[in-house]
Amino acid sequence: MVVDVYIIVGLGNPGRQYENTRHNIGFQCVDMIARKHNISILECRHKALIGKGYIEGEKVILVKPQTFMNLSGESVWEILQYYKAEPDTQLIVIYDDISLAPGSLRIRKKGSAGGHNGIKNIISKLGTDIFKRIKIGVGEKPAGFDLADYVLGHFSDAEKKDINLACAKAVQAVSFLVKEETDKAMNYFN
């Protein structure tokens, strides 16, 4: 199958107060992908900051929705409509997962939202849960913590090294995914 463009979405919340928080790991990974492949994410379209470029010879659009996490699907839906892209073959979403240890990575081809409101909104807007995703572990919420406070909190110094390593792995994983080597990526990183 020939794919015209891959839409690579990192989930997060806009605004300085959310930079480097657990919930913004998707933004952090997309920024790292952009640096590695010399893609500028400066254009504001489709309720998102976007950048266009190439990875492994494939045309990509890097996306950082500016709708806030819980409405991420609005931006993703608009972009897929505009580029006439199919979620099952052309969409890759990168986001935080509290059920994984900090720094671990999990690649999936489909699945439920697993309680993640950004993914829940994307599934709702697209009408499908079949799209590639790269989940980055941010650690389980400590007992007694409010979930929103936890995911909007910052990483400890000890966690930052693991998180940076996970983002570096996500950059590598994207290269596999745009070459249609999803199974190989899952075997290698999961």
Side-chain angles (χ1 to χ4, degrees), residues 9-15 18-20 23-33 35 41 49 63-69 72 94-95 167:
V9 180
L11 298 187
N13 287 307
Y18 299 110
E19 286 179 10
N20 302 312
H23 230 16
N24 273 36
I25 194 73
F27 279 11
Q28 193 175 332
C29 289
V30 164
D31 286 340
M32 194 178 277
I33 292 165
R35 283 192 301 275
I41 303 175
L49 289 174
V63 180
K64 293 165 63 175
Q66 300 295 292
T67 55
F68 288 93
M69 182 65 78
S72 298
I94 306 169
Y95 62 99
C167 283

Side-chain angles (χ1 to χ4, degrees), residues 25 33 36 53 91 100 128 176:
I25 194 73
I33 292 165
K36 166 130 173 88
L91 177 63
L100 298 173
T128 183
F176 280 96

Side-chain angles (χ1 to χ4, degrees), residues 24-123:
N24 273 36
I25 194 73
F27 279 11
Q28 193 175 332
C29 289
V30 164
D31 286 340
M32 194 178 277
I33 292 165
R35 283 192 301 275
K36 166 130 173 88
H37 297 284
N38 296 315
I39 300 171
S40 297
I41 303 175
L42 299 172
E43 197 176 338
C44 194
R45 297 180 70 183
H46 313 293
K47 300 177 185 165
L49 289 174
I50 67 170
K52 299 172 186 171
Y54 291 87
I55 297 174
E56 300 294 334
E58 299 292 337
K59 186 175 180 185
V60 300
I61 297 170
L62 301 182
V63 180
K64 293 165 63 175
Q66 300 295 292
T67 55
F68 288 93
M69 182 65 78
N70 295 355
L71 298 176
S72 298
E74 292 181 9
S75 172
V76 173
W77 184 84
E78 272 190 35
I79 289 167
L80 290 176
Q81 292 299 303
Y82 183 82
Y83 289 100
K84 297 175 177 43
E86 296 296 329
D88 61 330
T89 55
Q90 295 171 269
L91 177 63
I92 300 166
V93 181
I94 306 169
Y95 62 99
D96 60 296
D97 189 325
I98 61 167
S99 66
L100 298 173
S104 37
L105 194 104
R106 194 73 79 243
I107 299 168
R108 294 282 183 256
K109 295 179 189 178
K110 63 181 180 176
S112 72
H116 193 287
N117 288 333
I119 295 297
K120 193 181 297 180
N121 189 251
I122 291 171
I123 291 170

